[in-house]
Amino acid sequence: MNKWLPPQASAHAGQIDFVLTLVHVLMAVLFAGWAAYFVYVLLRFRSGAHPKANPAGTSGRFAMAVFAAVAVAEAVMLIGFALPFWFERTAAAPAVENPLVIRVTAEQFVWNVHYPGADGEFGDTNPALVSSTNPLGLDRASRYGKDDLVFLSEMHVQVNRPVLIQLASKDVIHSFGVPAMRVKQDAVPGLRAPVWFTPTVEGEFEVACAQLCGIGHHRMRAVIKVDSAEAYKKFLADEDALQRVK
């Protein structure tokens, strides 16, 4: 665990931190190496040691070997670590059964969170139905819309259960960022982008918009509450009962 980063709260957080550590170690080695080489060149080729310039210059294969080593190290880091992690994280869905599917729709300056309800299917939405009390335009009269749950800037998930978020935007480009989960994905108007993770730590974690999206960007925040299996079932039951009362 990297003490300079937020606590790891998802199954893939360690992989992301490992790649970040590799990148920083490589950059530190390159910085120290080039700094030492710069000092060496200043001393080795100072005017006092070489009163006359040598038009032929220096010769040797050391510099080429260094360049080749750096290129190989970067290729190994990119092909061996970064790209496999990237392909895994950007897959359309986790390769597991029964992921928790949630639709999150961003707008200036809130996050609309949409659960499918007990039937496991999302109800239809209609732009004509959008209002201050129905920000997603959810059609409650549609086949699966009656039991859907909608929340404003609050999301409940179950610990150790993969979460698949279908991310969209109503207006401008936003960015769904959860530092503790090592998750960041742009929300683009007209698209529904998948992003997924498996929370491993119970508690509350901040969601922030990582894209400058307007004058109220600073207050576009939400919270992810990672519950135990029992607490999550109770949350769904309580909200379903409340929805039926309404």
Side-chain angles (χ1 to χ4, degrees), residues 107-118:
E107 67 174 294
Q108 296 172 313
F109 297 98
V110 295
W111 301 96
N112 299 289
V113 183
H114 183 188
Y115 288 80

Side-chain angles (χ1 to χ4, degrees), residues 104-234:
V104 176
T105 303
E107 67 174 294
Q108 296 172 313
F109 297 98
V110 295
W111 301 96
N112 299 289
V113 183
H114 183 188
Y115 288 80
D119 58 17
E121 299 286 345
F122 290 98
D124 296 335
T125 58
N126 186 341
L129 298 177
V130 173
S131 66
S132 59
T133 57
N134 187 8
L136 297 177
L138 177 62
D139 185 358
R140 291 291 182 183
S142 63
R143 182 178 180 184
Y144 301 110
K146 186 175 181 180
D147 62 348
D148 285 15
L149 303 175
V150 178
F151 301 93
L152 188 66
S153 298
E154 181 177 327
M155 184 188 311
H156 285 255
V157 297
Q158 181 179 320
V159 68
N160 295 322
R161 181 181 179 184
V163 180
L164 173 60
I165 294 178
Q166 298 175 348
L167 193 62
S169 173
K170 290 172 62 177
D171 39 44
V172 300
I173 296 177
H174 300 272
S175 184
F176 182 80
V178 191
M181 303 293 175
R182 306 299 191 269
V183 165
K184 187 178 292 183
Q185 175 66 49
D186 284 351
V188 181
L191 299 178
R192 195 175 295 280
V195 58
W196 64 275
F197 58 93
T198 302
T200 57
V201 179
E202 294 182 28
E204 296 187 5
F205 303 95
E206 183 182 18
V207 179
C209 182
Q211 183 76 263
L212 184 58
C213 59
I215 195 170
H217 163 73
H218 65 283
R219 57 185 173 84
M220 189 169 175
R221 303 166 69 183
V223 61
I224 291 182
K225 297 183 178 181
V226 182
D227 301 328
S228 64
E230 296 75 15
Y232 181 71
K233 290 179 181 178
K234 184 178 184 302

